[in-house]
Amino acid sequence: MQYFVNVTLTGLTEGMVYAAFALALVLIWRSTRIVNFAQGSMAAATTFIALALIQDGQSYWVALVVALASGFVLGAVVERVVIRPVEGGPELNAVIVTLGLFVAIQAGIAIVFGSSFQSFGTPFGLQGFQVGDDRIALTPNSVFVIVSVLLTMALLVVLFRFTRVGLAMRASAFGQEVARLLGVRVGRMLTLGWALAAVVGSLAGLLIAGGEFVYPAYMDSLIVFGFVAAVLGGLDSPVGAIVGGLVLGLALSYVSGYVERGSALVNVAALAILMVVLLVRPGGLFASSTARRA
């Protein structure tokens, strides 16, 4: 029973990070109908900025704030400089641009910060809590991860549901021409959407890096898992991204914990889940029944 609890707790913690990354993908998809394949590289870049600050003697919290702010700026710049010129053209153009950006940013990280493995610290301990005579797989850092993602999701809900900016962003996402006629500055809202998505992606990158070694391509697996989580829940649904991330995290944790040589089968399991979802419900578990066009 203790083993099951530990495997479940591990799955929930990792699932929260997948959910955060999937949410970043969904935010961009809802506003521009683009899958941002560069999201992982952008998050890696801000993580290395945080690492440089920590190595320079700054606290984790200062590095965290600077990294998230860097993600905000990077997301806005990418939307205005790289994505805006190809928006409205063939969909394949945007795909190629984000793939090229993915490679370019990863190469830039290697040039600026080096390609060697570097340890990334955590703000809290990595030793599990003691419950009775047992030590469970829930650490203070795991609690920090879960609370951070939940707080981010709550702030996004408040932004989109209860503020004028959030209303304008939703209007821009659901109908750009109508929003323009109503006086919404759609361009600014799309830029803000990319910037917020980059902040959420940066948070996911920082959280998954805690207690691990980072290198320019360390986000590659999270890109795959985050994409699977987004598709599982439905690329158009923020709630689906959260549920998809948690379901995927638990599923991969059970495969790793209960299947012989399961840790080597995690990527195969993610692919199998993606294929099953695409075959059974191509739009994802929380996709709307009627397709919406931007």
Side-chain angles (χ1 to χ4, degrees), residues 17-99:
V17 180
Y18 301 157
F21 194 83
L23 187 61
L25 294 174
V26 168
L27 286 174
I28 292 177
W29 173 259
R30 281 170 62 91
S31 60
T32 56
R33 318 309 279 181
I34 293 174
V35 176
N36 182 18
F37 291 102
Q39 190 75 67
S41 293
M42 293 164 64
T46 56
T47 300
F48 271 89
I49 290 173
L51 179 62
L53 289 172
I54 293 172
Q55 291 175 339
D56 196 44
Q58 300 295 328
S59 73
Y60 178 92
W61 305 109
V62 171
L64 174 68
V65 172
V66 172
L68 297 184
S70 301
F72 186 90
V73 174
L74 180 59
V77 170
V78 166
E79 196 279 333
R80 293 301 297 266
V81 176
V82 181
I83 300 300
R84 187 74 63 91
V86 300
E87 245 184 327
E91 293 180 355
L92 187 59
N93 289 2
V95 173
I96 293 173
V97 165
T98 58
L99 285 173

Side-chain angles (χ1 to χ4, degrees), residues 14 17-18 21 201 204-205 208 218-227:
E14 293 178 351
V17 180
Y18 301 157
F21 194 83
I208 201 69
Y218 87 95
M219 286 288 291
D220 286 3
S221 59
L222 184 58
I223 295 171
V224 176
F225 296 151
F227 182 73

